[in-house]
């Protein structure tokens, strides 16, 4: 009875283990299995007896190749190793041979199995993140630098390198948020993958910079691939007209053709050419971006080219009568076109609402000077009017937004512009507000002089209309 109790106790202990404990005969037929082993197959323990282990777990009719259990029996000593089952799970198996003490023959084997699928998944993920950029899935800088050293051999000549700088990322991040900026990065990564060959090494080198290694590739082929990248960017823009700005990348390439050339110098030449091309192409890209932003504004709001032209005409007349400097005059005209550029981030259903705005909707509207400021700061052509965009809704009495500036704290150009803009909006009307007559608009300006508007500038403006 004591012996029986000991056996029961032994089985109870084995059944508490997470690891599979299986006793096999020398033909790998199961003689005993603990509860964990049975549960992994959704079977009762007794249903496993006299079944072959490779049939149950590996769904095979023959012995597994390189199985640690078989190795343990052949060597007559413990062995261990990893095995993958057909369902994609990973197992760590230890085999302990059971030897007849009298004749030293193998009579069976004890198999202890631990599932390591999650561990392997995490290892793979860590390994992937070690060498890949998490956002784009391209290789990262660390991997690129190691590959460049490895490929820098005579056998790989000629080696071409392309460096690219994504255009407009800061603008998108500042205006539309980093989520949209991430979308832009993912899009250019997709274009690079589509444009390059399988053997090419594409890496994200920095925030908005990318680098590609082309082993055994002459400069003529590298140039063709650069052209293909440009073409694929254009194709992307045709098929994705909802993106805030067009996808564009400045590229530069260089080729190592002679063994004694230093690869770092080739890399520097490619980078210098990229910056030169960025400078040459920059004006055209910036013009395209500004036009894209303007068209987006016109489609999302009640802003229009006609509205801007009327403001511009009044701005010129005010500049003349106030004897503004050429710089102030140019800034006032430029402000006519881009004062509400920050509205591109406000939903059209708010901008085009026919009824009164809710408190939350008006809060959203009031963010557009700050968004416009960030857009202008990120745009070479608009930097000089960034402060005017930020302050063109400030009031003379300090009750405007976003900063609550008052009187001369508000830049002169912004004070002038706020009067011109208000008059034009009042006389042209909006779907939610009937247009005022010229006389009604003049009375409104007089009424708001000293509170919303600079009273002296109101007097000047009335003389020109």
């Amino acid at each position: 009875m004591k012996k029986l109790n000991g056996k029961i106790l032994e089985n109870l202990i084995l059944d508490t283990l997470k690891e599979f404990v299986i006793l096999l005969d020398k033909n790998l037929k199961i003689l005993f299995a603990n509860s964990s082993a049975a549960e992994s197959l959704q079977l009762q323990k007794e249903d496993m007896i006299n079944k072959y282990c490779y049939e149950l777990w590996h769904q095979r009719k023959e012995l597994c190749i390189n199985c640690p259990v078989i190795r343990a029996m052949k060597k007559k000593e413990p062995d261990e190793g990893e095995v993958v089952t057909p369902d994609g799970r990973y197992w760590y198996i230890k085999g302990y041979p059971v030897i007849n003490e009298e004749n030293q023959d193998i009579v069976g084997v004890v198999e202890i199995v631990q599932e390591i699928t999650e561990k392997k998944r995490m290892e793979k993920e860590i390994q992937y993140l070690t060498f890949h950029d998490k956002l784009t899935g391209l290789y990262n800088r660390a991997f690129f630098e190691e590959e460049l050293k490895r490929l820098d051999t005579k056998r790989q000549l000629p080696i071409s390198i392309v460096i690219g700088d994504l255009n407009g990322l800061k603008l998108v991040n500042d205006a539309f948020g980093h989520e949209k900026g991430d979308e832009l990065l993912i899009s250019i990564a997709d274009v690079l993958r589509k444009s390059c060959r399988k053997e090419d090494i594409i890496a994200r080198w920095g925030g908005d910079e990318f680098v590609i290694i082309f082993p055994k590739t002459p400069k003529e082929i590298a140039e063709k691939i650069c052209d293909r990248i440009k073409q694929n960017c254009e194709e992307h823009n045709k098929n994705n007209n909802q993106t805030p700005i067009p996808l564009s990348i400045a590229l530069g390439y260089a080729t190592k053709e002679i063994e004694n050339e230093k690869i770092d110098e080739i890399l520097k030449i490619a980078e210098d050419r990229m910056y030169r091309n960025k400078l040459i192409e920059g004006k055209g890209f910036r013009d395209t971006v500004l036009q894209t932003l303007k068209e987006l504004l016109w489609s999302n709001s009640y802003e229009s080219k006609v509205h801007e032209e009327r403001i511009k005409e009044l701005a010129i007349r005010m500049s003349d009568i106030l004897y503004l400097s050429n710089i102030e005059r140019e800034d006032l005209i430029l402000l006519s076109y881009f004062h509400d550029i920050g509205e591109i981030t406000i939903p059209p259903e708010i901008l085009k609402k026919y009824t009164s705005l809710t408190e939350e909707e008006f809060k959203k509207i009031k963010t557009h000077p700050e968004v416009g400021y960030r857009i202008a700061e990120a745009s070479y052509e608009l930097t000089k009017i960034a402060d005017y965009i930020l302050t063109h809704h400030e009031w003379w009495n300090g009750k405007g937004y976003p900063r609550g500036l008052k009187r001369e704290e508000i830049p002169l150009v912004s004070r002038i512009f706020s009067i011109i803009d208000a008059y034009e909006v009042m006389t042209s009307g909006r779907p939610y507000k009937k247009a005022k007559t010229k006389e009604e608009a003049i009375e409104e300006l007089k009424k708001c002089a000293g509170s919303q508007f600079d009273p002296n500038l109101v007097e000047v403006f009335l003389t020109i209309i």
Side-chain angles (χ1 to χ4, degrees):
M1 188 67 182
K2 285 183 180 180
K3 189 174 181 182
L4 180 62
N5 287 340
K7 187 67 175 176
I8 291 171
L9 182 61
E10 184 180 299
N11 286 348
L12 285 173
I13 292 171
L14 291 175
D15 282 340
T16 63
L17 299 176
K18 289 183 180 179
E19 293 86 355
F20 307 170
V21 180
I22 307 162
L23 176 61
L24 306 164
D25 68 14
K26 62 181 180 180
N27 297 314
L28 301 187
K29 190 179 286 187
I30 298 171
L31 303 176
F32 167 84
N34 70 346
S35 295
S36 294
E39 286 170 9
S40 75
L41 296 169
Q42 297 181 332
L43 293 173
Q44 297 298 318
K45 288 194 290 182
E46 54 268 23
D47 294 333
M48 298 174 64
I49 305 303
N50 291 325
K51 301 286 194 313
Y52 293 103
C53 65
Y54 50 83
E55 286 183 334
L56 291 179
W57 278 282
H58 298 272
Q59 300 167 26
R60 299 167 66 100
K61 293 297 182 185
E62 65 279 347
L63 296 176
C64 300
I65 300 170
N66 203 30
C67 174
V69 170
I70 297 173
R71 292 201 304 265
M73 288 194 291
K74 284 182 178 177
K75 295 191 301 183
K76 294 186 178 182
E77 61 183 45
D79 205 330
E80 57 191 87
E82 292 179 7
V83 171
V84 184
T85 48
D87 57 4
R89 291 193 289 176
Y90 286 83
W91 311 88
Y92 197 81
I93 298 176
K94 294 180 180 179
Y96 298 91
V98 179
I99 303 172
N100 186 319
E101 291 182 0
E102 292 182 6
N103 56 20
Q104 295 298 300
D105 287 343
I106 293 291
V107 295
V109 62
V110 175
E111 182 178 13
I112 298 177
V113 184
Q114 182 180 12
E115 184 171 2
I116 56 169
T117 305
E118 183 61 19
K119 179 186 174 186
K120 293 296 288 187
R121 186 194 65 77
M122 289 182 68
E123 285 176 358
K124 283 184 178 180
E125 188 172 331
I126 291 168
Q127 186 180 31
Y128 181 86
L129 292 175
T130 302
F131 297 119
H132 289 79
D133 173 57
K134 187 176 181 181
L135 176 67
T136 63
L138 300 177
Y139 291 117
N140 59 22
R141 184 165 187 158
F143 181 84
F144 160 77
E145 289 174 349
E146 288 302 314
E147 281 297 282
L148 192 61
K149 290 176 188 174
R150 184 181 70 83
L151 294 170
D152 187 19
T153 63
K154 184 178 180 180
R155 190 167 61 87
Q156 298 294 339
L157 293 178
I159 302 174
S160 291
I161 296 175
V162 169
I163 293 182
D165 188 278
L166 179 62
N167 292 317
L169 181 62
K170 185 178 187 304
L171 174 60
V172 173
N173 282 336
D174 291 348
F176 301 95
H178 285 269
E179 187 176 337
K180 286 292 180 184
D182 288 349
E183 288 177 13
L184 199 68
L185 287 164
I186 292 168
S187 294
I188 196 62
D190 290 342
V191 164
L192 294 177
R193 268 190 289 261
K194 180 181 177 182
S195 306
C196 294
R197 305 161 305 183
K198 236 178 194 179
E199 63 270 23
D200 301 331
I201 308 296
I202 313 169
R204 186 177 175 194
W205 203 25
D208 54 4
E209 288 187 327
F210 298 83
V211 62
I212 313 168
I213 309 172
F214 300 102
K216 299 180 182 178
T217 304
K219 58 186 176 183
E220 294 81 9
I221 301 297
E223 185 176 8
K224 285 182 181 179
I225 294 174
C226 286
D227 291 339
R228 193 186 307 153
I229 292 169
K230 294 284 189 180
Q231 290 166 9
N232 285 333
C233 281
E234 290 176 12
E235 189 67 28
H236 171 89
N237 294 331
K238 286 178 187 175
N239 298 328
N240 296 271
N241 55 10
Q242 297 302 311
T243 53
I245 70 165
L247 189 65
S248 170
I249 187 168
L251 299 168
Y253 70 89
T255 303
K256 176 176 177 175
E257 298 173 307
I258 304 169
E259 187 179 3
N260 61 7
E261 288 180 300
K262 291 185 178 178
I263 198 69
D264 289 343
E265 291 179 2
I266 301 299
L267 191 65
K268 183 68 168 61
I269 292 169
E271 187 176 24
D272 290 344
R273 287 176 177 170
M274 180 272 289
Y275 282 122
R276 185 193 65 191
N277 290 335
K278 192 174 182 74
L279 193 62
I280 294 169
E281 299 165 5
K283 181 67 167 62
F285 172 74
R286 292 194 299 269
D287 289 346
T288 301
V289 167
L290 291 180
Q291 187 57 37
T292 300
L293 294 179
K294 289 308 300 294
E295 288 172 1
L296 186 59
L297 178 62
W298 293 340
S299 67
N300 284 3
S301 70
Y302 292 115
E303 294 293 321
S304 67
K305 193 170 184 178
V306 175
H307 167 70
E308 292 168 0
E309 289 297 333
R310 284 199 293 256
I311 290 180
K312 176 186 172 184
E313 182 184 338
L314 292 171
I316 291 171
R317 290 163 68 185
M318 280 292 278
S319 298
D320 291 342
I321 200 167
L322 290 169
Y323 297 102
L324 296 182
S325 68
N326 287 337
I327 292 175
E328 290 172 321
R329 177 190 175 94
E330 289 171 5
D331 290 349
L332 192 55
I333 292 170
L334 191 58
L335 191 61
S336 303
Y337 293 108
F338 293 100
H339 58 283
D340 281 335
I341 196 67
E343 288 185 356
I344 59 177
T345 61
I346 299 173
E349 56 269 23
I350 295 179
L351 292 175
K352 292 186 174 182
K353 192 174 181 181
Y354 280 77
T355 55
S356 299
L357 297 174
T358 65
E359 187 177 341
E360 282 302 310
E361 288 170 339
F362 188 56
K363 280 183 182 177
K364 187 71 176 173
I365 289 283
K366 287 169 72 173
T367 63
H368 83 270
E370 293 168 285
V371 175
Y373 173 83
R374 292 198 299 270
I375 293 173
E377 281 286 284
S379 173
Y380 177 80
E381 281 79 4
L382 301 183
T383 303
K384 59 183 180 177
I385 63 165
D387 284 333
Y388 303 142
I389 291 174
L390 181 65
T391 56
H392 78 281
H393 280 294
E394 299 288 355
W395 282 24
W396 182 254
N397 63 5
K399 294 184 178 180
Y401 62 90
R403 297 166 63 194
L405 302 179
K406 61 184 178 180
R407 303 176 73 87
E408 283 81 9
E409 290 175 348
I410 307 167
L412 174 61
V413 170
S414 297
R415 281 182 276 144
I416 296 169
F417 183 81
S418 65
I419 297 169
I420 297 171
D421 187 38
Y423 176 78
E424 206 290 316
V425 169
M426 283 191 287
T427 54
S428 61
R430 290 289 185 267
Y432 55 84
K433 188 181 290 186
K434 184 182 175 183
K436 294 181 183 294
T437 65
K438 179 179 177 181
E439 291 72 23
E440 288 172 334
I442 288 172
E443 284 305 310
E444 188 68 23
L445 288 177
K446 288 179 178 178
K447 179 181 171 184
C448 295
S451 57
Q452 184 173 351
F453 307 117
D454 182 332
N456 297 321
L457 291 176
V458 170
E459 283 187 27
V460 175
F461 182 73
L462 296 180
T463 65
I464 70 169
I465 59 169

